[in-house]
């Protein structure tokens, strides 16, 4: 059974710092991996989707990497800003492409 | 505007009530999902519909009854719920199949069962 773990559970950093959020999964037979952001009381906003054949994806200050063999993905946020404060979740897609398993998320707070 | 609209945003209901949650997507997708998000727990997949057909029921109790009349609309009918069913219920959509299509979420319905 696929399990997704995100470390750390919470993180507080000063503005301007570069940071890395971690996501690990137990079954390397995944199809895609997707990173989301969730603001309090809101739904999830898609940040990056990495196909299983890819190693990384970039969007602005965000860079996500995927290492299927080790069951890991990282989300790198450069030059963090207070507006980046949110919960970040990763989700892996099973090989059928229909089911997603989510991690519990990392709650990020960027101090001004 | 997320492209996926959920109503109502908040719902308080007693254990004997019957209510429905509504989800509508304007993205032209053919796969729709219901998720449950409880405090301090990961998102739990409840139901998946592809082209209006239910393809996944993740062992959800029968007091939750989904309905997908067309590819743009998804409902979750609720009856005789328990207090532990209080949670944020999220709807999502994407293109079905193994293509590279990200999930798009609505803002959710915050349900409180009293």
């Amino acid at each position: 059974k696929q399990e997704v773990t995100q470390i750390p559970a919470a993180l507080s950093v000063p503005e301007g710092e570069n940071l890395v959020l971690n996501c690990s999964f137990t079954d390397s037979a995944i199809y895609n991996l997707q990173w989301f952001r969730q603001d309090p009381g809101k739904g999830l906003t898609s940040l990056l989707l990495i196909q299983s054949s890819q190693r990384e994806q970039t969007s602005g200050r965000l860079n996500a990497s995927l290492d299927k063999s080790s069951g890991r993905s990282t989300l790198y946020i450069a030059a963090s800003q207070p507006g980046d404060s949110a919960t970040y979740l990763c989700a892996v897609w099973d090989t059928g492409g229909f089911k997603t398993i989510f991690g519990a998320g990392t709650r990020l707070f960027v101090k001004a | 505007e997320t492209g996926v609209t959920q109503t109502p945003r908040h719902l308080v209901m007693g254990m004997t009530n019957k209510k429905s949650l509504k989800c509508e997507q304007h993205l032209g997708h053919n796969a729709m999902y219901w998720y449950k998000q409880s405090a301090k727990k990961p998102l739990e997949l409840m139901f998946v519909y592809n082209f209006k057909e239910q393809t996944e029921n993740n062992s959800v109790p029968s007091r939750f009854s989904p309905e997908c009349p067309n590819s743009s609309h998804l409902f979750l009918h609720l009856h005789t719920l328990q207090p532990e069913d209080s949670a944020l219920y999220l709807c999502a959509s994407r293109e079905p199949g193994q293509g590279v299509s990200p999930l798009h979420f609505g803002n959710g319905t915050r349900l409180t069962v009293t």
Side-chain angles (χ1 to χ4, degrees):
Chain A
K1 178 184 174 185
Q2 178 75 271
E3 293 183 2
V4 180
T5 304
Q6 291 189 246
I7 294 174
L11 182 63
S12 181
V13 300
E15 182 177 7
E17 190 162 301
N18 301 325
L19 56 100
V20 175
L21 307 181
N22 297 292
C23 173
S24 61
F25 44 96
T26 54
D27 185 350
S28 62
I30 65 168
Y31 195 72
N32 294 328
L33 184 145
Q34 192 169 356
W35 282 94
F36 296 88
R37 163 189 177 135
Q38 186 175 29
D39 293 288
K42 297 289 186 66
L44 280 66
T45 300
S46 178
L47 297 174
L48 292 163
L49 184 148
I50 311 177
Q51 300 177 60
S52 61
S53 59
Q54 297 176 320
R55 300 282 293 183
E56 65 178 334
Q57 282 284 336
T58 298
S59 175
R61 294 183 294 110
L62 305 179
N63 176 276
S65 68
L66 175 64
D67 184 344
K68 277 182 57 178
S69 61
S70 66
R72 291 181 184 175
S73 176
T74 61
L75 179 67
Y76 175 82
I77 303 177
S80 58
Q81 303 170 358
D84 295 330
S85 299
T87 297
Y88 291 80
L89 300 107
C90 73
V92 299
W93 296 88
D94 70 349
T95 50
F98 295 122
K99 292 184 67 171
T100 52
I101 307 299
F102 279 82
T106 294
R107 185 175 297 178
L108 173 65
F109 179 64
V110 181
K111 297 171 287 188
Chain B
E1 178 58 48
T2 66
V4 180
T5 303
Q6 290 188 244
T7 54
R9 288 298 312 277
H10 302 273
L11 178 62
V12 179
M13 60 185 290
M15 289 190 284
T16 59
N17 291 160
K18 289 184 180 181
K19 297 286 184 183
S20 296
L21 310 184
K22 178 182 177 182
C23 175
E24 183 174 3
Q25 57 95 1
H26 311 278
L27 301 169
H29 294 160
N30 287 297
M32 297 187 77
Y33 302 71
W34 280 117
Y35 286 87
K36 175 183 179 182
Q37 187 175 36
S38 305
K40 304 193 184 208
K41 290 177 66 176
L43 264 76
E44 299 172 68
L45 178 65
M46 300 177 71
F47 301 103
V48 181
Y49 277 82
N50 287 283
F51 296 98
K52 303 186 296 179
E53 298 297 320
Q54 187 181 125
T55 54
E56 186 74 30
N57 177 337
N58 201 26
S59 303
V60 180
S62 60
R63 57 186 183 269
F64 295 91
S65 175
E67 179 190 2
C68 188
N70 56 61
S71 294
S72 299
H73 293 85
L74 185 65
F75 296 89
L76 188 62
H77 304 301
L78 316 171
H79 62 98
T80 59
L81 294 191
Q82 304 298 312
E84 60 265 30
D85 296 322
S86 298
L88 181 67
Y89 288 84
L90 292 161
C91 174
S93 71
R94 66 183 287 264
E95 276 305 301
Q98 294 191 342
V100 182
S101 173
L103 274 173
H104 295 262
F105 280 84
N107 281 327
T109 294
R110 173 69 63 184
L111 173 67
T112 303
V113 181
T114 60

